[in-house]
Amino acid sequence: MFNGQHNASFRDPSGFLFRQDGVLYRQVNRRYAAEYDHLMASGLYQGLEKIGRLVAHQESKISPFKPEISYKVIRPEQIPFISYPYEWSFSQLKEAALVTLSIQERALNYGMSLTDASAYNIQFIRGKAGLIDTLSFEFYEEGQPWAGYKQFCQHFLAPLALMAKKDIRLGQLMRNYIDGIPLDLTSKLLPGATKLSPGLTMHIDLHAKAQKKFGDQKAGNSQHKEISKQALLGLVDSLKNTIQKLSWEPSGTEWGSYYESTNYSDQAFHHKKQLITDWVKEVKPKQVWDLGANTGVFSRLASEQGIFTAAFDIDPAAVEQNFQQAKSAKEQNILPLVLDLTNPSPAIGWHNHERESFIERAPADMVFALALIHHLAISNNVPFPQLAKFFRDLGTWLVIEFIPKSDSQVQKLLQNRADIFDQHNREDFERIFENHFTIHKKENIQESERYLYLMEKR
C-alpha cells in the first residue's frame, strides 16, 4: 500500500493526511495549534464524536511527515470504504447536507465555524453521515459571514434541488463539477415553479446573481456585509428548512421493483441465499462488494454477519430503497451506492488523483456478481475474457452466478437483437474464468438452470 502524503490532502495549510505502514494519519500543523486545542478542550469534538457526527481519532507518537511544521499527529478511525457524493442516493446526500448544517450550528455555539462545506468531507460510518476532516473548524469572529456558504449551496443544495425538482440523474453532474454544481447553471436548469420556493430563490437564484455581480469577494460568499451570530444561525436554519422540504420518491424504474418480477421460485431463491450465506461463513471476508445489488437482499447475507458490505447498483431508485431500509433498521454494516459498472466512477480532480476511481478503491475480500453478467455480456457486449479480468481486479474471492440463454430473463435481453453471443454457455464461461480464478465450488441452484460459483483469484 502507498506510503506518503495523501493525494487528496494538499490544499489545507492546517494539516494533511499521510500513510505510514499502510495506516492513515493526519498531521496537524503548528499554524492550526490554537484551533485544534480549542476544538479538543471546549467539548465540541467530544460532543460530535459521541453522536457519530465527527470521526474519532487518537493522538499518536509516530514521527510527523513534515516535522518542521508539525504540531501533532493524530490517527483517525479507519473507514472501510471512501464514497463520493455522485455515488450517493438522494437521501444520502440529503442526510449529509443536514448533518453539515447541524455541525455548523453546534460549532457556532462553541465559538467555532466550519471553514468549508465540502460534501467530500462527509462519509458514511456505521450507517451515519459524519465529518471526517477534523481540521475543518476555525475560530468564529463576531460579524464574519460563513465562509462555507457558497460551497454548501453548490455541493448540497444545488444537486438536491435538481434531483428533486428536475431529474434524479442530474446528481451525476457532481462528477463533472468537483467543487459543486454552479449556481447559475442550477438556476437555469430548475423548472420555473421552483421560483415559488423562497428558500431556493434565496439560496440559488439570488445567490447566483450575487455571485455574478460581486465575483469572489469574501471567499466567494454572497454575504458582503457583517452578519451577526443570530443572523448566521438564521441562515443555517433557512438552509435546513429548504433542504428538509426537498424530497424524491423512488418509483417507476425497472430495477426498483426487480424482486417482484424475478423468475426465481421460492425454493430456488432460498437455495441461492443459503449457498451464499454458507460460503461467506466459510471464507470469512472482512469486506464484501455486491455488484448489481439492487435493494440489497443478498448484500445483507454478508452485512448481517457483521461484515462491511458496499452494495452497488446502477438504479438510483433501488439504491434509495436500500438506504431507506438500512436507516429504518439502523443497520451499520451496509453502504448502498449508485454505480454504473459499464462506466464506473473515474479518478477526478487535480492530476486525476484527488478522488480515486472505483478500481483504485479495490480490492475487496469478496465480490458478489449475482444475476449480473448476462446484463454486462449481452446488454453491453462485454466479452467473458474482459469480465473475468475486471472481477479479478476487484477482489480475492468471487461469488458469481451464471444464467444460460434459455433462462427467461436472458431471453428478454435477446428479444430485439441478434444473438451474436456464441460463448454465452457454461462451458466457455468456466474455461475463460479459470484463466484468472480457481473454481472451488459450483452448485446448480435448485429448480432453475442457473449455477452459482465460488472462485478465488489465482
Side-chain angles (χ1 to χ4, degrees), residues 14-58:
S14 301
F16 56 87
L17 294 167
F18 69 95
R19 285 193 183 275
Q20 182 170 309
D21 298 326
V23 178
L24 189 68
Y25 297 92
R26 187 184 292 277
Q27 177 171 311
V28 183
N29 292 338
R30 283 197 296 268
R31 66 179 297 157
Y32 193 73
E35 289 89 340
Y36 176 81
D37 287 344
H38 182 77
L39 172 69
M40 300 305 296
S42 66
L44 177 56
Y45 163 81
Q46 290 82 359
L48 289 172
E49 188 274 331
K50 184 177 181 180
I51 61 173
R53 298 311 187 187
L54 178 61
V55 67
H57 74 256
Q58 294 180 336

Side-chain angles (χ1 to χ4, degrees), residues 419-456:
D419 184 354
I420 59 173
F421 308 101
D422 296 335
Q423 287 191 326
H424 198 95
N425 59 77
R426 188 157 50 86
E427 292 74 19
D428 281 329
F429 166 76
E430 292 177 6
R431 175 181 58 81
I432 291 168
F433 270 72
E434 280 186 312
N435 291 327
H436 302 281
F437 294 90
T438 298
I439 298 176
H440 287 288
K441 296 188 178 181
K442 175 177 68 174
E443 294 281 350
N444 175 223
I445 299 174
Q446 294 172 2
E447 298 185 0
S448 80
E449 297 180 278
R450 302 181 176 201
Y451 276 78
L452 202 62
Y453 295 81
L454 176 64
M455 302 183 183
E456 183 181 11

Side-chain angles (χ1 to χ4, degrees), residues 180-253:
I181 305 174
L183 299 185
D184 62 332
L185 175 61
T186 304
S187 182
K188 291 175 183 176
L189 291 175
L190 285 173
T194 59
K195 308 299 181 186
L196 299 176
S197 166
L200 293 179
T201 298
M202 173 183 174
H203 300 298
I204 291 181
D205 299 319
L206 297 180
H207 194 167
K209 291 177 181 178
Q211 285 180 342
K212 183 176 181 180
K213 180 177 180 180
F214 297 108
D216 284 333
Q217 297 177 37
K218 297 243 181 195
N221 203 308
S222 66
Q223 309 158 64
H224 299 287
K225 298 179 181 180
E226 288 193 358
I227 178 171
S228 69
K229 183 177 179 180
Q230 193 62 36
L232 189 53
L233 287 168
L235 177 74
V236 171
D237 193 56
S238 173
L239 286 167
K240 188 185 302 182
N241 290 335
T242 302
I243 287 172
Q244 285 174 333
K245 291 176 182 176
L246 295 173
S247 63
W248 177 71
E249 291 299 324
S251 61
T253 67

Side-chain angles (χ1 to χ4, degrees), residues 35 49 76 83 105 113 124 126 141 184 198 209-210 221-222 243 299 301 304 313 316 327 340 396 400 440:
E35 289 89 340
E49 188 274 331
S83 61
E105 198 170 43
S113 178
F124 287 85
R126 291 183 294 279
E141 296 179 13
D184 62 332
K209 291 177 181 178
N221 203 308
S222 66
I243 287 172
S299 309
L301 300 180
E304 289 174 357
D313 202 272
K327 291 298 294 182
D340 179 356
T396 303
I400 189 167
H440 287 288

Side-chain angles (χ1 to χ4, degrees), residues 3 17 37 43 47 74 76 125 133 169-170 202 211 226 231 248 273 286 289 323 389 392 410 424 433 454:
N3 286 326
L17 294 167
D37 287 344
I74 61 177
I125 309 170
D133 187 357
R169 294 168 294 181
L170 289 175
M202 173 183 174
Q211 285 180 342
E226 288 193 358
W248 177 71
K273 291 176 71 173
K286 293 182 179 179
W289 289 5
F323 179 70
K389 292 177 184 177
R392 177 200 63 194
V410 180
H424 198 95
F433 270 72
L454 176 64

